Amino acid sequence: MSSLLTDDVGVTDYSTSPHLAKYPRPNMSEGPSVKVGVLGATGTVGQRFITLLANHPWFVLHALGASPRSAGKPYKTAVNWKQSTRIPAVAQDLIVHECKPEFFSECAVIFSGLDADVAGDIEAAFRAADLAVFSNAKNYRRDPLVPLIVPYVNPNHLAILPQQQAAHAPALKRGFIVTNANCSSTGVVIPLSALEKAFGPIESLLVTTMQAISGAGYPGVPALDIIDNVVPHIGGEEEKMEWEMLKILGGVPKGDDGARSFDMHAKTPLRISASCNRVPVIDGHTACVSLRFSRRPPPSPQQVREALASFTCDAQTLGCPSAPSKIISVHEEADRPQPRLDRYYQDGAGVSVGRIRQCQVLDIKFVVLANNVSIGAATSSIINAELAVLKGVVGGN
């Protein structure tokens, strides 16, 4: 039952398969050589990390961690591989270690795909060993010194890391924890950020999600619960969305004492009501969004379309190799986006928005689709690490 209730991972040419890459991507140019490790490497999020890192131009897969029962085995025999592509050659013969810092001491970056049941203590131990941890787990998202970063929205929140390091006893030089957001929050907050950038604060938000079964992990939702069905409850998901988006969209200003803190969008309060549903789709979270701007009169649907289509962010301008060439695809068709047709847009690193129209209750309503196992999970962590490298927060080997 628990797997049912938990969840944490105009374009004219469309792709229906991850193997039919029709979208232009930025040049994966040469850059620094950075050794990386993956925790939870045999799980579904860990597998996605390994798939994305196998051909990364900067990050070199160096160490893999999993449970003690997998330790000592080559990765290809330790893992129950569930990705649609084969195990990357670079990972097949790597020996799996226990998730202990001493096996990862040569890594400049640690990616954590650990389950929340074990992530807390393990990630804290890696930080204490002065290692930089980029986590997909939920354990530290509410920590007042840990940034919760969606890479296209709030990389400026990395500014709080010196305080996180100074608060540790003893103070850290390189170690820290950065988290990425819940998969359902990520897809929604990207267009919200674009709209606030263009038109100023949003004051009210209603969002209803239709979330894919892969968000519940493997083995996931029992077949008899989800086939021919919609489950109108995902435990803790609605509260997570309502809280996380405030932290992400808010600032991290300095107080009178010079210390930074997350303001939770407090300068212009934002009210959020989320309703979350599990639907029989494998990958791709869809959300129906209605919102009201503080600005009066509000922007027109056409102005919203133009703002979303033209949105750019630091991940693009700084040259993150995993960032898509276009963050938001705006669909003009009345029946798009759809998970089966649009979830692999730009290898799952972009988001798709359609049905932008006037809302008779609030101001504007639209539909957004994001790939929950890509930008909603591992891809976000990887781009967060790329941003940290480019901003000098993490160095090469």
Side-chain angles (χ1 to χ4, degrees):
M1 188 66 175
S2 60
S3 63
L4 176 66
L5 300 180
T6 59
D7 195 352
D8 260 277
V9 348
V11 171
T12 58
D13 190 18
Y14 300 97
S15 174
T16 58
S17 165
H19 310 298
L20 300 176
K22 298 181 180 179
Y23 300 99
R25 296 296 301 277
N27 290 329
M28 299 290 274
S29 56
E30 291 295 326
S33 176
V34 181
K35 291 180 180 177
V36 304
V38 177
L39 305 178
T42 57
T44 52
V45 176
Q47 291 175 31
R48 187 64 180 163
F49 272 122
I50 288 167
T51 300
L52 293 169
L53 292 167
N55 297 306
H56 197 281
W58 303 351
F59 296 148
V60 179
L61 201 57
H62 182 72
L64 304 179
S67 65
R69 67 176 177 274
S70 298
K73 300 177 183 177
Y75 184 70
K76 63 186 177 185
T77 61
V79 68
N80 180 17
W81 189 253
K82 293 296 178 182
Q83 303 301 301
S84 59
T85 55
R86 296 194 177 199
I87 302 174
V90 69
Q92 289 184 13
D93 295 318
L94 285 179
I95 300 301
V96 177
H97 299 288
E98 292 188 52
C99 294
K100 295 181 178 179
E102 55 262 35
F103 299 117
F104 295 78
S105 60
E106 296 182 5
C107 296
V109 169
I110 305 297
F111 292 109
S112 174
L114 291 166
D115 186 270
D117 291 344
V118 298
D121 290 344
I122 293 174
E123 291 175 359
F126 274 72
R127 176 176 59 182
D130 226 9
L131 293 167
V133 179
F134 292 84
S135 173
N136 187 69
K138 67 181 181 181
N139 302 65
Y140 291 97
R141 290 175 184 162
R142 288 179 174 267
D143 190 299
L145 294 177
V146 172
L148 173 62
I149 295 181
V150 174
Y152 309 150
V153 176
N154 61 325
N156 60 307
H157 287 195
L158 290 171
I160 204 166
L161 290 179
Q163 283 176 228
Q164 184 188 143
Q165 293 170 320
H168 193 274
L172 301 170
K173 295 180 179 179
R174 297 178 300 276
F176 56 77
I177 295 173
V178 169
T179 64
N180 55 271
N182 176 267
C183 48
S184 55
S185 302
T186 298
V188 175
V189 82
I190 293 168
L192 296 183
S193 175
L195 294 177
E196 288 207 322
K197 181 179 179 181
F199 306 116
I202 295 167
E203 65 177 35
S204 300
L205 173 69
L206 299 177
V207 56
T208 300
T209 69
M210 293 163 278
Q211 295 179 221
I213 56 176
S214 57
Y218 185 83
V221 184
L224 287 176
D225 286 326
I226 198 62
I227 293 175
D228 188 35
N229 200 24
V230 172
V231 182
H233 175 71
I234 304 173
E237 194 80 353
E238 294 167 356
E239 189 271 341
K240 277 189 286 187
M241 287 192 73
E242 293 167 356
W243 187 90
E244 286 185 8
M245 287 193 284
L246 294 177
K247 184 172 182 178
I248 296 161
L249 290 170
V252 59
K254 286 185 177 180
D256 294 339
D257 60 356
R260 294 186 182 274
S261 61
F262 300 108
D263 67 16
M264 303 297 290
H265 214 278
K267 289 184 179 179
T268 52
L270 170 59
R271 298 179 299 165
I272 303 173
S273 178
S275 299
C276 297
N277 307 274
R278 186 74 70 197
V279 298
V281 170
I282 295 173
D283 292 329
H285 287 356
T286 304
C288 296
V289 177
S290 295
L291 57 86
R292 176 182 170 88
F293 293 94
S294 297
R295 160 182 164 171
R296 313 313 298 166
S300 68
Q302 182 58 30
Q303 289 175 310
V304 167
R305 290 186 192 96
E306 293 170 358
L308 293 175
S310 63
F311 176 68
T312 59
C313 64
D314 285 355
Q316 296 168 298
T317 57
L318 292 175
C320 291
S322 299
S325 57
K326 191 171 182 61
I327 301 296
I328 301 173
S329 164
V330 177
H331 295 264
E332 298 296 340
E333 301 90 336
D335 61 351
R336 302 293 275 272
Q338 297 178 28
R340 191 169 61 187
L341 301 179
D342 301 308
R343 59 191 167 207
Y344 295 116
Y345 171 60
Q346 303 216 104
D347 296 337
V351 300
S352 296
V353 176
R355 301 208 67 215
I356 301 167
R357 59 215 193 274
Q358 187 175 11
C359 177
Q360 299 302 315
V361 176
L362 301 179
D363 290 335
I364 293 290
K365 55 185 176 180
F366 58 83
V367 177
V368 59
L369 170 72
N371 191 318
N372 57 294
V373 298
S374 295
I375 190 58
T379 299
S380 274
S381 287
I382 290 171
I383 302 177
N384 284 342
E386 292 170 356
L387 284 162
V389 171
L390 289 166
K391 290 176 176 286
V393 177
V394 170
N397 297 105

